[in-house]
Amino acid sequence: PICCLPLPIDTDKSTLMSCCCKLICDGCDYANVIREKREKLDRKCPFCRHPVPKSEEEFKRNILKRIDVNDAVAIRQMGGYRNQEGDYDGAIEY
């Protein structure tokens, strides 16, 4: 269930799916979670049906896989992570 409406400007109201680097609104993510719980399914990405990562480490591993295929969203995301960690040279590298 993806609404395909324009995403809100407030980034706190959307979720980045690390498997395909797609942003979805939190409403669609919530609807997907409810559907999966009701039907007793494992959590999966609404776009690509890849299993949702169970840890932050797995999330970052998925981002690195997307960087390997030159995904601009993944590259920007990793640069933001490096910047938050204080690794400014690493952030510029991405």
Side-chain angles (χ1 to χ4, degrees):
I2 300 173
C3 65
C4 297
L5 295 172
L7 289 171
I9 293 173
D10 185 3
T11 57
D12 291 336
K13 296 181 180 178
S14 59
T15 302
L16 176 72
M17 304 308 289
S18 66
C19 47
C20 57
C21 285
K22 300 288 186 193
L23 282 172
I24 61 169
C25 72
D26 284 346
C28 292
D29 187 37
Y30 178 74
N32 191 48
V33 168
I34 294 298
R35 179 187 65 83
E36 289 169 341
K37 283 185 179 182
R38 187 176 326 140
E39 297 176 13
K40 296 181 173 85
L41 301 171
D42 293 333
R43 288 261 351 244
K44 293 188 178 181
C45 172
F47 272 97
C48 67
R49 302 292 180 207
H50 189 274
V52 174
K54 296 184 184 346
S55 67
E56 185 69 24
E57 188 65 34
E58 191 176 349
F59 181 87
K60 287 187 178 181
R61 198 172 328 124
N62 285 345
I63 294 289
L64 289 173
K65 286 180 186 177
R66 297 299 305 167
I67 288 172
D68 289 341
V69 295
N70 208 21
D71 186 321
V73 174
I75 293 169
R76 190 206 65 79
Q77 190 72 22
M78 186 56 77
Y81 284 143
R82 300 293 173 156
N83 187 41
Q84 288 176 349
E85 294 169 352
D87 181 10
Y88 303 116
D89 292 333
I92 292 172
E93 179 182 318
Y94 285 102

